Amino acid sequence: MTVKRAAELLSAARTGLALTGAGISAESGIPTFRGEGGLWTKYDPTKVASIEYFMADPSAYWSASKERGRVALAARPNPGHRALAALEAAGHLIAVVTQNTDGLHQDAGTRRVIEVHGSGRTVQCLDCGNREPRSAVQARLDSEMPPRCPVCGGTFLKPTVVLFGEAMPQAAIRDAFALAKEADVMLIVGSSLVVYPAADIPVVAMRSGARLIIVNAEPTPLDRLADVVIHGRSGEVLPAIVELIGE
Ligand code: NAD
Ligand code: ZN
């Protein structure tokens, strides 16, 4: 029933917007921070994924993120990512705002992806500004710790993700909130909705008249405000919605 209602709302949407969190990539093998099996239970990301920690010791940062990077680079989009790309292609979504840094929405074919926490696919030298693909840096980690900038030799190479303690990318945040204000339907997938300001995006959309659909493995603080709440795996729920819409 709820899947049917979600399909009805999305098929009627003219300015539908999706917001995704780590949960949508869980079925691609990338661990979430929170929730069952989340990394939060193993170590505190607010510490090891903070800018203070990185600046104090880039080697410690890269040692901790080496395995995570290997997993993220090997990951492929799952049926949940592909369903969102299909919804965009059919005109039911105008964009996907994501808290993820894994690039899997782009790999799945979504054209307009707004990355509010940056991208893990690129690494930047804080000394000279040179950028290179994460895969290139990843390949050096076995022989070079911390990795060094190939242009200036600097040792502060930072993925272009937003670490805890860093400012958010202003343009992406502005775009995300502008789209939220125009959205008639907001589809939220795989987010615990406790990280700000991303968690405010659905609230802004709702205040501007959007209907909310939440697809998440566990309850979220916004469930009571949503029109449709589906507690399940996004890789199963989203394709079911797309199938019902029938495009
Ligand atoms: P989160 O880790 O806080 O919450 C993930 C949510 O997804 C949980 O509520 C969990 O119940 C749910 N979930 C788990 N598996 C699911 C599935 N198969 N289907 C549907 N829901 C599922 O994630 P968040 O709210 O996005 O915030 C964490 C922050 O950490 C984000 O800002 C993000 O930048 C970063 N992060 C990114 C990645 C990534 O790029 N893939 C991975 C981990 C963390
Ligand atoms: Zn450099």
Side-chain angles (χ1 to χ4, degrees):
M1 251 349 252
T2 47
V3 171
K4 183 160 174 274
R5 181 72 185 130
E8 282 166 6
L9 285 175
L10 278 164
S11 64
R14 302 185 65 84
T15 52
L17 183 65
L19 171 68
T20 65
I24 195 168
S25 295
E27 287 159 82
S28 293
I30 303 177
T32 59
F33 277 180
R34 298 175 189 77
E36 211 176 314
L39 288 175
W40 208 272
T41 51
K42 292 191 205 138
Y43 62 88
D44 181 358
T46 60
K47 188 178 154 244
V48 299
S50 74
I51 185 68
E52 290 80 8
Y53 188 85
F54 173 82
M55 294 307 290
D57 189 352
S59 293
Y61 172 87
W62 280 102
S63 299
S65 91
K66 184 175 167 180
E67 173 62 11
R68 241 183 108 62
R70 194 189 61 74
V71 169
L73 286 175
R76 292 291 163 260
N78 67 58
H81 297 105
R82 288 196 288 272
L84 292 186
L87 288 171
E88 183 194 51
H92 304 310
L93 291 176
I94 52 175
V96 174
V97 174
T98 188
Q99 296 170 267
N100 298 341
T101 57
D102 55 37
L104 293 181
H105 287 302
Q106 291 91 331
D107 288 351
T110 295
R111 285 186 299 264
R112 189 163 186 201
V113 181
I114 295 161
E115 297 175 308
V116 291
H117 292 164
S119 168
R121 292 268 176 97
T122 303
V123 172
Q124 185 163 28
C125 171
L126 297 188
D127 291 318
C128 76
N130 179 61
R131 286 176 173 239
E132 55 181 324
R134 164 84 191 218
S135 53
V137 177
Q138 190 73 25
R140 303 204 291 276
L141 291 179
D142 282 330
S143 56
E144 201 176 71
M145 192 60 81
R148 287 180 168 274
C149 173
V151 174
C152 77
T155 53
F156 289 88
L157 300 191
K158 193 186 90 59
T160 57
V161 298
V162 179
L163 296 180
F164 287 95
E166 282 194 293
M168 312 277 289
Q170 287 311 306
I173 292 291
R174 204 175 44 236
D175 287 354
F177 279 98
L179 288 164
K181 281 189 184 140
E182 286 168 25
D184 51 8
V185 174
M186 176 120 215
L187 171 63
I188 302 138
V189 185
S191 176
S192 55
L193 293 173
V194 297
V195 179
Y196 289 88
D200 274 334
I201 295 170
V203 175
V204 166
M206 198 191 57
R207 290 210 185 110
S208 309
R211 305 292 194 91
L212 300 190
I213 302 167
I214 297 181
V215 176
N216 203 58
E218 294 166 304
T220 80
L222 294 188
D223 283 5
R224 64 193 173 78
L225 300 175
D227 288 87
V228 179
V229 176
I230 304 173
H231 291 149
R233 290 155 65 91
S234 49
E236 293 160 10
V237 175
L238 297 180
I241 293 172
V242 168
E243 196 180 332
L244 272 186
I245 294 176
E247 287 172 54

